[in-house]
Amino acid sequence: MKNSKNLALYILGVVAVLALPIFLQSQGNAWVRIADIALLYVMLALGLNIVVGYAGLLDLGYVAFFAVGAYLFALMGSSHLSDTFPWFKAMFPNGLHTSLLIVIPLALVVAGVLGVMLGAPTLKLRGDYLAIVTLGFGEIIRVFLNNLDQPINITNGPKGITAIDSIKFWGLDLGKAWKFDGFTISSVTLYYYLFLALVIATIIISHRLQISRIGRAWMAIREDEIAAKAMGINTRNMKLLAFGMGASFGGVSGAMFAAFQGFVSPESFSLMESVMIVAMVVLGGIGHLPGVILGAVLLAALPEVLRYVAGPLQAMTDGRLDASILRQLFIALAMIVIMLMRPRGLWPSPEHGKTLQRKGVASDAPVAPGSLQTHAPGIETPADELPGAASRPMSINP
Amino acid sequence: MEILLQQIINGLVLGSMYALIALGYTMVYGIINLINFAHGEVLMVGALTSWTIIGLMQESMPGTPGWLILVISLVIACIVAATLNFVIEKVAYRPLRNSPKLAPLITAIGMSILLQTLAMIIWKPTNKAYPNLLSTTPIEVGGAVISPTQVMILSVTAFSLVVLMWLVNYTKLGRAMRATAENPRVAALMGIRPDMVISATFIIGAVLAAIAGVMYASNYGIAQHAMGFLPGLKAFTAAVFGGIGNLAGAVVGGILLGLIEAIGSGYIGSITGGVLGSNYSDIFAFIVLIVMLTLRPSGLLGERVADRA
């Protein structure tokens, strides 16, 4: 009964998500754009969720990987390098215009390697120390992006890189509207479907990771690192893997962002951006996929939507309260109020850590001989199944 | 050689301001294990309040000597900042004392954005010229110059540090703070009220931040709504550098960080042959921090936290 109801809800959800841009398109492309940006943030938040939610490593410099992906695509998809370096122009007169099928894996690998490189020196650190080091790392990347225009102009400094290619594959250009039979699908809608596909891939990977041995190892580390180590988990490799995997999603998302905007500048990768991504993960429900998605959609779309609501309010207050200030005000209030009312996030995971594996053991499942997972007959409930145990607050820094 | 001496002086001035801010971070962290992201914004509110008071006083009482205006505005800024921090703790951190560890971090970030936004609404998002109220004749010390404002910063910081050390080491409140930092539950059993101690800590931290804010604004001659963020970040770095939760560590960390930053940005141009300029000065703090924490994860003087982390 419950299953068929769930299935119906799933199908409804899928149809709604697929039809959303068609519906939004009739209200103007700006709304589809908002949906696109929200999808990119969902991807970023899911990537960070691997690091923070699963492995319990608080990373405040996550936007650095986003930036790396974006700049990678910007350099490979624009004529900036050919314009600045004559020797490069000699090889590629119009600049590299790399195919998407190369850029996505490349962004994934480069950001992933960078993530591991960041992770390596910070392995000994935990909790807030780790947070502040990753934050510093993010700032270092941003300062470099901002200043690498001289003496060698690589990033074009604060001016940023313009005229970045749109995404093209199999002869299809997502930068142009698609027309057939008088029916047009605008460019932003095409991007929507591409991003949606990437987000779905991210969700599947995240979900598979969560229920795999690796995911369980991460959660064991999150719950109690010393115990995890004692149980034979290679905590060093697992942490590096978490950093690498999380970063690679950030890299891909960044590359998509660059292609979508056609422009990158260091301003898009400020510390505040990192902080917002962490806020998405935590607001939604840390370590819980639907929660993280909800948090990302909410925080990404809210400011854009408020942009339209803010106009009348601004008129009421003689322009003192301008739209951008009002948006910030609402975001800040939302962060505070939501956390005060639901400290575990809007949609927290019903169980995690120790309780996770117990879910898999159905009460009437046949017991394999010699299995240690089930309860011995006659013993009713183990002590740790007392009602309070499941609602134990999650610890990031035990 | 003059450049080195000059940069050492600049570094000391910068470092003493970092130290003041870092103390606020480290006290709060030491007691409730929270990175108070809104601390830099308390500094900003202090600086902007004093800017408003100075403006009002210069208009209404034109004859008043500059130093008196500065002192009065400083006192009022401290009171406003202390009230603000007291309220922030009550509203945004106290209800989350027993929640998952990341929840208060998010409210702290929210508070930081909220305060910046409110400051933009109250004070308008423009740069404000912070008046120089002291004499402008520089004092020469062995080839380097030091301005009266810098002398004031150094002496005010030194005075605040002495008062704070006395407060923490020799008063009943200080003993209660140390006890609560060690173990709040046991402290409560000994008749200490942790809630009161935490409020007191936030108030003291805010006063230090407001002092730092006024000093910061006098030093750079500018006050605006986003001025608290970067110094706050660097001060936290300083606190971690010195070993967080350790007051002496925060001071040492702050001053060292200021020195490293000033000397680094003074020499980076000539060392790298002009490839990297002083526009990279902001990253010294972070590079030093990463190297430091890799070699010694508990910070320079940090021992207590090692068993907790």
Side-chain angles (χ1 to χ4, degrees):
Chain A
M1 178 62 207
K2 195 164 177 283
N3 265 343
S4 67
K5 201 175 156 194
N6 274 351
L7 191 70
L9 272 178
Y10 265 126
I11 293 172
L12 202 71
V14 169
V15 171
V17 168
L18 284 177
L20 183 72
I22 310 287
F23 167 72
L24 287 177
Q25 211 178 327
S26 61
Q27 307 292 313
N29 280 338
W31 290 94
V32 192
R33 242 188 121 72
I34 295 174
D36 290 0
I37 296 284
L39 282 176
L40 282 180
Y41 274 112
V42 169
M43 214 171 141
L44 276 176
L46 286 171
L48 185 63
N49 182 47
I50 291 179
V51 188
V52 184
Y54 295 166
L57 305 161
L58 181 53
D59 183 353
L60 283 181
Y62 189 67
V63 83
F65 308 120
F66 187 56
V68 165
Y71 269 89
L72 186 77
F73 189 89
L75 291 177
M76 295 184 70
S78 75
S79 52
H80 177 73
L81 283 179
S82 309
D83 292 346
T84 30
F85 303 113
W87 57 268
F88 201 85
K89 199 175 178 78
M91 283 194 289
F92 306 97
N94 299 317
L96 295 161
H97 290 279
T98 329
S99 141
L100 186 72
L101 297 175
I102 299 174
V103 170
I104 287 189
L106 196 67
L108 195 133
V109 169
V110 170
V113 168
L114 213 76
V116 172
M117 274 167 58
L118 162 70
T122 61
L123 282 172
K124 273 192 275 179
L125 308 172
R126 263 179 252 171
D128 303 313
Y129 287 83
L130 181 66
I132 207 80
V133 167
T134 49
L135 187 154
F137 177 76
E139 278 294 283
I140 291 173
I141 296 265
R142 196 184 57 81
V143 170
F144 271 103
L145 291 179
N146 219 346
N147 290 305
L148 271 182
D149 51 345
Q150 48 178 300
I152 317 161
N153 186 354
I154 300 172
T155 63
N156 211 16
K159 290 189 291 292
I161 299 175
T162 48
I164 301 167
D165 287 354
S166 55
I167 289 175
K168 297 183 191 71
F169 54 102
W170 297 307
L172 179 72
D173 185 353
L174 294 192
K176 291 194 191 96
W178 232 20
K179 283 191 180 115
F180 47 81
D181 292 346
F183 186 75
T184 35
I185 298 180
S186 65
S187 152
V188 276
T189 308
L190 294 175
Y191 273 110
Y192 177 92
Y193 289 114
L194 172 68
F195 294 168
L196 188 65
L198 286 171
V199 164
I200 289 170
T202 313
I203 293 174
I204 293 171
I205 296 171
S206 285
H207 180 70
R208 300 300 303 173
L209 273 175
Q210 187 181 356
I211 56 176
S212 71
R213 281 173 72 105
I214 294 173
R216 287 202 303 250
W218 281 337
M219 282 175 236
I221 293 172
R222 180 187 74 192
E223 296 296 317
D224 189 337
E225 188 173 340
I226 295 166
K229 206 166 191 165
M231 288 297 129
I233 293 171
N234 186 337
T235 53
R236 185 193 50 166
N237 288 1
M238 281 298 152
K239 281 179 168 185
L240 287 180
L241 189 65
F243 267 117
M245 294 220 61
S248 58
F249 287 121
V252 174
S253 180
M256 295 299 106
F257 174 77
F260 179 64
Q261 294 277 337
F263 168 70
V264 288
S265 80
E267 243 172 62
S268 313
F269 312 107
S270 65
L271 177 67
M272 209 58 227
E273 212 63 26
S274 277
V275 166
M276 285 306 274
I277 303 168
V278 174
M280 286 169 187
V281 174
V282 179
L283 272 186
I286 186 162
H288 188 223
L289 289 178
V292 172
I293 296 169
L294 175 74
V297 170
L298 208 68
L299 272 191
L302 189 71
E304 304 299 329
V305 174
L306 281 175
R307 200 193 292 270
Y308 294 90
V309 190
L313 259 168
Q314 188 181 357
M316 268 164 54
T317 53
D318 306 329
R320 204 178 171 90
L321 218 63
D322 91 3
S324 65
I325 293 184
L326 196 72
R327 286 193 299 152
Q328 263 197 20
L329 191 71
F330 274 116
I331 291 181
L333 283 176
M335 283 164 80
I336 296 170
V337 172
I338 292 175
M339 275 297 115
L340 287 177
M341 285 164 48
R342 299 188 66 101
R344 293 186 56 207
L346 283 174
W347 193 350
S349 63
E351 76 284 295
H352 52 254
K354 283 192 224 164
T355 46
L356 190 75
Q357 73 183 57
R358 212 170 286 132
K359 191 179 130 201
V361 184
S363 51
D364 54 347
V367 181
S371 163
L372 295 171
Q373 288 232 321
T374 44
H375 318 311
I379 297 173
E380 286 192 338
T381 38
D384 64 348
E385 283 217 328
L386 288 171
S391 58
R392 185 173 60 92
M394 174 174 158
S395 56
I396 278 294
N397 185 13
Chain B
M1 212 52 220
E2 280 93 56
I3 303 176
L4 182 64
L5 188 62
Q6 186 68 57
Q7 289 307 81
I8 288 177
I9 292 174
N10 292 346
L12 279 177
V13 171
L14 192 62
S16 63
M17 289 187 289
Y18 287 158
L20 276 182
I21 316 167
L23 281 169
Y25 271 114
T26 217
M27 282 195 297
V28 167
Y29 192 90
I31 292 187
I32 57 173
N33 271 15
L34 163 77
I35 306 180
N36 182 8
F37 260 99
H39 196 68
E41 272 59 47
V42 174
L43 173 155
M44 173 270 295
V45 169
L48 284 173
T49 310
S50 85
W51 176 81
T52 309
I53 302 291
I54 291 171
L56 285 177
M57 285 188 69
Q58 278 180 332
E59 213 170 287
S60 56
M61 295 174 272
T64 329
W67 62 269
L68 189 62
I69 296 183
L70 198 62
V71 169
I72 293 174
S73 78
L74 182 63
V75 170
I76 296 178
C78 287
I79 295 170
V80 171
T83 319
L84 179 71
N85 221 14
F86 176 75
V87 173
I88 292 177
E89 195 270 330
K90 273 247 151 91
V91 173
Y93 306 151
R94 181 162 301 177
L96 295 172
R97 192 102 19 100
N98 296 317
S99 306
K101 196 170 156 34
L102 280 177
L105 185 78
I106 299 296
T107 54
I109 293 167
M111 253 318 154
S112 157
I113 306 175
L114 184 70
L115 289 180
Q116 279 196 31
T117 318
L118 291 179
M120 272 195 264
I121 295 172
I122 297 171
W123 282 288
K124 301 240 170 71
T126 49
N127 281 345
K128 285 150 205 61
Y130 195 91
N132 187 356
L133 295 166
L134 302 175
S135 109
T136 46
T137 5
I139 306 154
E140 213 167 301
V141 191
V145 284
I146 176 164
S147 72
T149 309
Q150 289 178 315
V151 173
M152 173 196 73
I153 292 172
L154 287 175
S155 37
V156 169
T157 310
F159 176 73
S160 318
L161 291 184
V162 171
V163 171
L164 181 76
M165 290 303 166
W166 168 78
L167 197 74
V168 171
N169 288 321
Y170 298 103
T171 62
K172 236 177 156 175
L173 175 66
R175 198 182 303 162
M177 281 167 66
R178 283 179 288 146
T180 313
E182 203 64 49
N183 188 332
R185 291 180 67 180
V186 176
L189 291 178
M190 298 295 128
I192 293 167
R193 281 158 53 205
D195 278 351
M196 204 203 75
V197 172
I198 292 168
S199 289
T201 308
F202 272 86
I203 289 174
I204 297 170
V207 168
L208 294 174
I211 296 174
V214 172
M215 300 297 130
Y216 213 81
S218 327
N219 194 33
Y220 291 104
I222 261 183
Q224 45 111 350
H225 63 97
M227 67 182 281
F229 190 70
L230 202 59
L233 204 62
K234 286 194 189 148
F236 186 76
T237 309
V240 176
F241 186 50
I244 198 158
N246 183 324
L247 294 187
V251 176
V252 172
I255 290 175
L256 274 181
L257 196 72
L259 284 173
I260 290 167
E261 205 175 302
I263 294 174
S265 58
Y267 283 94
I268 187 171
S270 50
I271 288 172
T272 58
V275 175
L276 303 175
S278 57
N279 41 5
Y280 285 89
S281 70
D282 281 349
I283 64 176
F284 288 113
F286 301 116
I287 290 178
V288 167
L289 178 80
I290 292 174
V291 172
M292 172 78 210
L293 284 184
T294 317
L295 299 178
R296 196 178 148 79
S298 54
L300 268 184
L301 305 181
E303 289 158 55
R304 231 197 58 227
V305 191
D307 55 290
R308 184 197 283 164

